[in-house]
């Protein structure tokens, strides 16, 4: 609160600082000083009377009392080092006479240092004698080595302590011998908090024995890196690391700031800087875990010497300053981060993530998470945190009131982070969205119809020297998802980690494992042997995705891999089995394998040429009874008839969701067997364009009254000219929701045409048999951001699309996007 007078400070303590969670306020010196409007006049004392340009002694007393009652401790700027310079006027603001080395009733000539340098000033700040015994800019330098000087300074301090202050800021502490300063402090009538101004002092370790110290290097680092487009702000995360802290005040003794009254006038980020630089730097200071943060709040200025405006009466209006005041302490992001600091101040930094060098994020214990984007482009990523599951409030954009958060809320799935290994000696961070982000159902949040696609993968960012720091990173990030894209990544992982205690720790906590590999050469037993030791340590897997594309003779490789995963992870809940080539399983093996994972609730077996012998086409196998399997996602090509027939023989009492897809001719007979066995329990049926066209939806009559949802996955490569129909006699009054999932593509014209044609075709198909449909959900990246602050411009056939949407609405159907936001007429 630089240059605020006592009356305005008292009011601000009550109106804002206390309720906002601030703990202390540093105020100017209340002691008589030289006349003048310049800000620095308060640092040239003429006596030790408690009266200054900020108000009378009574005003000061009232301010201390009111701030203390509001929960705000008052820290007073205190000057032990010097008195005044050699000025033309020799009368203080309260009328006390003085000369350069004579202060009647207080000091005389012999109480000051007199140096033989030019003007008696410090000429060399590396010369300790000059620093301690010569003058700073002609200010009369007090000789603290004298007992009477120390006694007088202690008496001056005790007069302030008697007013109820909480602490003192010792100005120019780097210019005083810390030994004598400590002796002055020992004479205080009661202990108070001490912080000191000692930038660049060579004896800072002695200085901090007397109290905390303002660490100017912190402000200098913020100023350097927030302005450096090449290094970005990423190096700031090294603050506090031992090798980077030589010459720094230790964190527990450091007071840090973005700017202060000195550095604001040269060498620091200020309110004048563009692009929210001051705000972002303040977020870093209050969100990081180094030192005690101090928020500077000042006023507008063009003249470097100019004092405060508006008769020194500080004024703010809501979130901003008025009458020449800036009121940084009220800026929404700054004030919000004060609350954040109060919540996390005793916690460590974890879960560090870097996007570009201008983008950093980190967690604070299990209480909070911070992300800073100092780049001109948006940073879209998914972050790992150790926060407990829940919904979190983005406090930078709105205050949390009890359990209510009017600002942006962050769903728990956004707080996941997924890692993949690159095929070179370092490791990459892959921010692929989690399964939950691609879940779709109008009823059940665990119904995974719209699954992660290749297009959804976000950008990959390098973590420097990650392999050399593998053990540290594994423990710090507690990785949830491990993905291998080729065998070189597997070899790198094993070379760096396998056999290490920390690798065991990491793999035992992985929740999701993805093998998405393309191997041109033959898959060998050695390849399987490289994978198995990793799979055996994954004891907590919940999701396993197998997408290995390969050839060769190893028909049993897929079986060995899957058996290993199931044996190691009986907790497996979702299995995505999408191999191409020799990795596929014999259909007769599935019942026995599924028996090993009783908690499995979702099984996804993808399309691909089958490698099992033709004789297995309708082989009857032993039946399986599985209590928890709720979702089946199957390929219904003719090659898969044996598998479908096998699953039709299984007892699946929990089955509620069935997704059928095809890339060739559909095996209609086998699918109808599946519906005859399980159709009555189905709640949701999904199909792609090829499946619905080839089968004419003829299986739907075998579904019962439990059917509530029909999902169409529209494939833009498939023909849409078929006249898909449903038997006339079939009517389902239970279906309330229709979902259309349309894959994104680069050609906006084709995408637009597909959306319009699909909606038209599906509406015609479903008018008669589903009279009670009330909701149409359109899942397409082009619609996903509707309702968000920045909607994209979408090059649709607008008139045709708007007309088609209106037809659905005229039928009483609500049309929404994936997030449930209503889709209106598409704007031109």
């Amino acid at each position: 609160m630089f240059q605020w007078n006592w009356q305005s400070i008292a009011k601000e303590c009550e109106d804002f600082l206390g309720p906002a969670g601030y703990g202390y306020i540093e105020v100017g010196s209340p002691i008589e000083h030289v006349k003048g409007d310049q800000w620095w006049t308060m640092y040239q004392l003429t006596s030790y009377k408690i009266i200054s340009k900020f108000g009378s002694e009574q005003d000061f007393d009232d301010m201390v009392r009111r701030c203390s009652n509001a929960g705000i401790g008052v820290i007073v700027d205190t000057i032990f080092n010097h008195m005044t310079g050699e000025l033309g006027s020799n009368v203080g603001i309260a009328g006390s006479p003085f000369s350069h080395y004579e202060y009647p009733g207080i000091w005389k000539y012999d109480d000051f240092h007199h140096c033989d340098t030019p003007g008696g000033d410090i000429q060399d700040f590396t010369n300790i004698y000059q620093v301690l015994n010569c003058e700073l800019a002609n200010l009369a330098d007090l000789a603290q080595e004298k007992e009477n000087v120390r006694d007088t300074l202690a008496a001056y301090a005790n007069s302030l302590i008697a007013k109820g202050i909480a602490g003192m800021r010792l100005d120019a502490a780097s210019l005083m011998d810390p030994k004598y300063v400590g002796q002055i402090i020992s004479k205080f009538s009661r202990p108070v908090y001490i912080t000191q101004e000692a930038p660049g002092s060579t004896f800072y370790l002695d200085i901090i024995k007397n109290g905390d110290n303002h660490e100017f290097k912190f402000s200098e680092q913020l100023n350097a890196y927030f302005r450096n487009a090449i290094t970005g702000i990423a190096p700031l995360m090294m603050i506090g690391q031992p090798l980077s802290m030589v010459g720094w005040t230790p964190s527990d003794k450091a007071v840090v700031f973005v700017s202060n009254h000195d550095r604001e006038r040269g060498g620091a980020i200020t309110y004048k800087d563009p692009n929210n630089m001051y705000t972002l730097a303040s977020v870093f200071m209050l969100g990081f875990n180094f030192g005690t943060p101090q928020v500077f709040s000042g006023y507008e200025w063009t003249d470097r010497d100019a004092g405060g405006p508006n008769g020194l009466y500080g004024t703010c209006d809501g979130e901003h300053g008025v009458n020449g005041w800036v009121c940084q302490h009220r800026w929404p992001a700054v004030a919000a981060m004060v609350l954040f600091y109060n919540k996390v101040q005793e916690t460590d930094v974890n879960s560090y993530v870097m996007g570009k060098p201008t983008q950093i994020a980190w967690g604070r214990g299990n209480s909070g998470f911070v992300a800073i984007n100092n780049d001109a482009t948006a940073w879209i990523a998914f972050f790992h945190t150790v926060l407990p599951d829940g919904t979190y409030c983005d406090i930078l954009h709105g205050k949390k009131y009890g359990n209510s958060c009017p600002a942006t809320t962050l769903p728990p799935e956004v707080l996941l982070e997924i890692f993949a290994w690159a095929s070179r000696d370092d490791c990459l961070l892959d921010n692929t969205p989690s399964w939950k982000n691609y879940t779709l159902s109008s009823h059940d949040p665990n119904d995974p119809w719209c699954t992660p696609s290749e297009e959804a993968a976000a950008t990959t960012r390098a973590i420097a020297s990650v392999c050399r720091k593998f053990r540290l990173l594994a423990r710090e990030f507690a990785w949830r998802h491990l993905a291998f894209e080729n065998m070189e990544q597997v070899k790198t992982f094993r070379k760096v980690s396998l056999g290490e205690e920390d690798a065991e720790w990491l793999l035992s906590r992985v929740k999701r494992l993805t093998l998405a590999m393309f191997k041109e050469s033959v898959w060998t037993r050695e390849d399987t042997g490289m994978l198995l030791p990793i799979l055996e340590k994954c004891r907590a897997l919940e999701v396993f995705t197998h997408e290995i594309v390969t050839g060769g003779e190893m028909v049993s490789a897929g079986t060995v891999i899957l058996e290993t995963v199931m044996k190691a992870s009986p907790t497996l809940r979702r299995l995505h089995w999408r191999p191409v080539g020799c990795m596929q399983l014999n259909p007769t093996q599935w019942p026995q394998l599924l028996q090993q994972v009783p908690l499995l609730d979702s099984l996804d077996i993808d399309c691909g040429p089958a490698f099992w012998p033709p004789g297995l086409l309708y082989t009857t196998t032993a039946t399986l009874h599985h209590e928890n399997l709720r979702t089946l996602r199957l390929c219904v090509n003719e090659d898969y008839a044996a598998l479908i027939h096998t699953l039709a023989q299984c007892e699946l009492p929990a089955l509620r969701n069935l997704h059928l897809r095809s890339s060739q001719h559909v095996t209609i007979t086998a699918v109808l067997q599946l519906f005859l066995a399980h159709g009555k329990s189905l709640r949701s049926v999904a199909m792609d364009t090829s499946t619905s066209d080839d089968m004419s939806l003829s299986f739907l009559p075998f579904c019962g009254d439990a059917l509530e949802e029909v999902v169409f996955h529209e494939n833009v490569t498939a023909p849409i000219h078929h006249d898909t129909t449903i038997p006339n006699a079939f009517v389902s009054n239970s279906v309330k929701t229709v979902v259309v999932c349309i894959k994104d593509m680069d050609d906006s014209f084709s995408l637009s045409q597909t959306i319009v044609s699909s909606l038209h075709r599906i509406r015609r198909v479903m008018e008669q048999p589903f009279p009670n449909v009330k909701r149409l959900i359109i899942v397409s990246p082009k619609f996903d951001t509707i309702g968000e602050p920045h909607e994209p411009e979408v090059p649709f056939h607008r008139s045709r699309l708007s007309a088609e949407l209106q037809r659905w609405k005229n039928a009483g159907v609500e049309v929404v996007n994936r997030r449930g936001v209503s889709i209106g007429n598409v704007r031109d």
Side-chain angles (χ1 to χ4, degrees):
M1 310 296 288
F2 186 57
Q3 294 281 290
W4 284 52
N5 67 21
W6 309 143
Q7 292 180 359
S8 58
I9 288 176
K11 186 175 186 301
E12 191 68 359
C13 281
E14 295 170 336
D15 292 350
F16 186 81
L17 296 175
Y22 285 90
Y24 296 88
I25 180 172
E26 185 180 297
V27 303
S29 170
I31 303 302
E32 183 183 13
H33 51 79
V34 300
K35 296 177 180 178
D37 294 331
Q38 300 91 337
W39 63 266
W40 44 258
T41 57
M42 72 173 184
Y43 289 103
Q44 299 193 34
L45 307 186
T46 60
S47 74
Y48 292 117
K49 297 176 181 177
I50 301 179
I51 183 172
S52 71
K53 60 183 176 182
F54 303 119
S56 66
E57 182 172 2
Q58 291 73 26
D59 291 335
F60 180 76
D61 291 346
D62 182 63
M63 180 270 294
V64 173
R65 177 184 59 80
R66 290 168 64 185
C67 285
S68 298
N69 289 341
I72 306 296
V74 176
I75 299 173
V76 175
D77 215 338
T78 309
I79 299 95
F80 287 168
N81 181 67
H82 56 264
M83 294 298 281
T84 70
E86 193 168 3
L87 304 173
S89 171
N90 291 326
V91 177
I93 195 170
S96 299
F98 69 94
S99 65
H100 196 198
Y101 299 112
E102 295 288 342
Y103 299 81
I106 307 173
W107 306 121
K108 56 184 183 299
Y109 183 88
D110 290 341
D111 294 324
F112 296 93
H113 291 133
H114 302 283
C115 203
D116 58 2
T117 59
D121 283 350
I122 302 170
Q123 302 295 318
D124 180 3
F125 280 88
T126 64
N127 185 313
I128 294 178
Y129 175 82
Q130 289 189 23
V131 168
L132 297 180
N133 295 282
C134 299
E135 294 176 355
L136 175 68
N138 194 234
L139 300 174
D141 197 71
L142 286 163
Q144 288 95 359
E145 68 271 18
K146 296 185 176 183
E147 185 71 26
N148 70 298
V149 172
R150 296 196 296 274
D151 287 343
T152 301
L153 292 174
Y156 147 46
N158 282 327
S159 70
L160 298 175
I161 292 173
K163 299 295 185 182
I165 66 169
M168 296 180 181
R169 171 194 178 268
L170 303 187
D171 182 66
S174 59
L175 308 181
M176 300 182 287
D177 191 322
K179 176 177 66 176
Y180 300 129
V181 172
Q183 292 178 16
I184 296 170
I185 293 174
S186 71
K187 299 176 183 289
F188 287 1
S189 58
R190 64 174 172 86
V192 294
Y193 171 74
I194 298 294
T195 182
Q196 303 163 95
E197 181 199 29
S201 175
T202 57
F203 40 86
Y204 70 95
L205 292 177
D206 292 318
I207 287 174
I208 61 176
K209 293 177 182 178
N210 295 324
D212 290 354
N213 179 40
H214 285 242
E215 184 47 82
F216 282 65
K217 293 185 182 69
F218 187 90
S219 174
E220 292 165 1
Q221 295 262 299
L222 293 180
N223 187 52
Y225 291 122
F226 268 95
R227 299 184 192 279
N228 193 321
I230 298 175
T231 65
I233 57 178
L236 293 174
M237 296 302 294
M238 295 302 295
I239 291 177
Q241 300 301 314
L243 294 181
S244 64
M245 303 307 293
V246 177
W248 283 59
T249 305
S251 177
D252 63 338
K253 288 287 188 178
V255 175
V256 296
F257 51 88
V258 176
S259 184
N260 68 3
H261 65 276
D262 278 323
R263 290 301 170 92
E264 187 182 42
R265 286 154 176 80
I269 297 170
T270 76
Y271 74 93
K272 298 183 179 185
D273 284 302
N275 302 323
N276 292 318
M277 189 181 296
Y278 187 93
T279 297
L280 293 178
S282 298
V283 169
F284 178 85
M285 174 185 71
L286 290 160
F288 204 56
N289 71 334
F290 184 83
T292 301
Q294 182 183 66
V295 175
F296 174 76
S297 190
Y299 51 88
E300 299 172 357
W301 56 271
T302 53
D303 179 357
R304 291 170 55 88
D305 293 330
N310 195 41
L312 302 184
Y313 195 94
T315 50
C316 304
D317 182 11
E319 300 171 347
H320 306 286
V322 291
N323 301 321
W325 298 95
V326 180
C327 294
Q328 292 100 316
H329 65 286
R330 283 201 180 202
W331 289 6
V334 175
M337 287 304 296
V338 169
L339 296 175
F340 182 90
Y341 170 80
N342 291 339
K343 179 71 173 178
V344 306
Q345 60 178 306
E346 300 298 330
T347 64
D348 62 348
V349 166
N350 56 47
S351 308
Y352 169 56
V353 180
M354 181 183 77
K356 298 177 182 178
T358 49
Q359 300 164 329
I360 55 177
W362 66 93
R364 290 296 303 272
N366 64 354
S367 303
F369 193 81
V370 181
I372 296 178
N373 183 13
N374 194 39
D375 197 76
T377 60
W379 185 15
I380 302 174
F382 291 81
F383 304 106
H384 159 79
T385 80
V386 295
L387 297 175
D389 289 343
T391 299
Y392 291 82
C393 184
D394 176 11
I395 61 172
L396 294 189
H397 298 94
K399 188 175 180 181
K400 184 175 182 290
Y401 298 94
N403 293 323
S404 174
C405 180
T408 306
T409 55
L410 307 177
E413 60 264 29
V414 175
L415 305 176
L416 293 176
E417 189 173 50
I418 299 169
F419 288 84
W421 286 79
S423 57
R424 55 181 192 270
D425 287 338
D426 63 359
C427 305
L428 299 182
L429 167 65
D430 177 13
N431 290 316
T432 307
S434 71
W435 172 284
K436 271 193 173 181
N437 289 91
Y438 287 80
T439 294
L440 170 71
S441 175
S442 59
H443 302 280
D444 183 358
N446 294 315
D447 185 7
W449 283 135
C450 295
T451 55
S453 65
E454 295 176 3
E455 293 79 13
T459 55
T460 299
R461 304 296 181 195
I463 301 178
S465 305
V466 69
C467 288
R468 293 193 299 275
K469 301 176 181 177
F470 175 80
R471 290 188 297 275
L472 173 64
L473 288 172
R475 289 196 178 279
E476 180 179 357
F477 288 116
W479 291 343
R480 302 284 185 86
H481 179 188
L482 203 56
F484 296 100
E485 296 178 353
N486 52 57
M487 285 305 298
E488 289 303 314
Q489 296 173 6
V490 176
K491 293 175 183 177
T492 301
F493 184 91
R494 289 200 57 180
K495 178 176 66 176
V496 172
S497 66
L498 205 59
E500 298 278 359
E501 177 184 349
D502 293 282
E504 182 97 17
W505 182 93
L506 163 65
L507 291 171
S508 69
R509 285 159 176 77
V510 169
K511 299 295 185 184
R512 179 175 174 183
L513 179 65
T514 298
L515 305 179
M517 305 182 189
F518 175 78
K519 195 170 189 296
E520 295 182 357
S521 59
V522 173
W523 185 273
T524 66
R525 286 180 172 82
E526 286 73 20
D527 294 324
T528 304
M530 290 292 291
L531 271 176
L532 294 187
I534 295 174
L535 303 180
E536 290 167 351
K537 297 185 189 319
C538 295
R539 294 187 293 272
L541 281 186
E542 295 180 1
V543 182
F544 177 56
T545 301
H546 181 287
E547 296 180 344
I548 299 179
V549 179
T550 185
E553 302 298 328
M554 278 290 293
V555 178
S556 63
T559 305
V560 173
I561 290 172
L562 188 55
E563 284 182 335
T564 303
V565 169
M566 289 180 167
K567 183 178 180 180
S569 301
T571 57
L572 195 68
R573 295 183 180 276
R574 291 180 179 175
L575 173 61
H576 310 286
W577 192 257
R578 302 169 181 173
V580 175
C582 67
M583 286 288 171
Q584 297 188 59
L585 272 65
N586 185 314
T588 60
Q589 295 176 298
W590 279 104
Q592 183 179 359
L593 288 170
L594 294 175
Q595 206 92 42
Q596 300 180 45
V597 280
L599 299 181
L600 192 74
D601 63 25
S602 178
L603 175 62
D604 173 6
I605 303 177
D606 206 348
C607 298
F611 276 72
W612 43 76
L616 289 173
L617 188 60
Y618 289 106
T619 301
T620 302
T621 63
T623 61
L624 161 76
H625 181 87
H626 198 290
E627 287 287 343
N628 293 305
L629 191 64
R630 291 173 51 84
T631 300
L632 266 179
R633 195 167 189 254
L634 296 172
C635 184
V636 290
N637 296 346
E638 290 179 350
D639 285 344
Y640 282 76
L643 174 62
I644 298 169
H645 177 77
T646 297
L647 293 172
Q649 308 306 308
C650 298
E651 296 179 10
L652 307 174
L655 189 64
R656 297 293 181 269
N657 312 301
L658 185 63
H659 182 182
L660 308 175
R661 60 190 184 280
S662 171
S663 59
Q664 302 171 8
H665 295 296
V666 175
T667 173
I668 296 176
T669 303
V671 172
L672 289 179
Q673 283 186 320
L674 194 64
F675 274 89
L676 284 170
H678 305 299
K680 296 298 182 182
S681 67
L682 293 179
R683 184 193 60 80
S684 180
V685 174
M687 68 211 80
D688 61 14
T689 304
S690 298
T691 305
S692 62
D693 283 348
D694 285 353
M695 295 188 64
S696 300
L697 305 183
S698 56
F699 51 80
L700 288 180
F702 298 99
C703 296
D705 293 337
L707 187 66
E708 299 175 356
E709 180 179 82
V710 178
V711 183
F712 293 90
H713 284 256
E714 293 296 278
N715 183 355
V716 297
T717 64
I720 310 180
H721 60 271
H722 294 288
D723 184 15
T724 305
T725 60
I726 300 177
N728 291 332
F730 174 68
V731 175
S732 174
N733 291 316
S734 61
V735 174
K736 302 295 193 301
T737 303
V738 175
V739 183
V740 183
C741 294
I742 301 175
K743 184 177 179 180
D744 196 10
M745 58 186 305
D746 294 333
D747 185 350
S748 295
F749 179 85
S750 297
L751 176 63
S752 304
Q753 186 179 40
T754 299
I755 292 175
V756 174
S757 300
S758 296
L759 295 181
H760 173 72
R761 183 178 71 91
I762 293 169
R763 179 174 51 82
R764 288 181 54 224
V765 167
M766 307 198 72
E767 280 177 337
Q768 178 65 33
F770 301 114
N772 292 330
V773 169
K774 299 300 181 185
R775 192 175 226 208
L776 169 66
I777 303 175
I778 303 178
V779 179
S780 169
K782 298 304 182 187
F783 285 124
D784 283 352
T785 55
I786 288 178
E788 294 187 356
H790 305 288
E791 296 182 20
E793 291 293 333
V794 184
F796 280 124
H797 298 284
R798 290 181 175 85
S799 59
R800 290 185 58 200
L801 179 62
S802 295
E804 184 60 38
L805 291 175
Q806 192 58 50
R807 292 187 185 100
W808 281 87
K809 294 176 183 178
N810 290 342
V813 178
E814 178 190 20
V815 183
V816 299
N817 70 359
R818 181 203 307 258
R819 296 177 175 84
V821 179
S822 178
I823 300 175
N825 291 335
V826 180
R827 63 171 186 249
D828 291 324

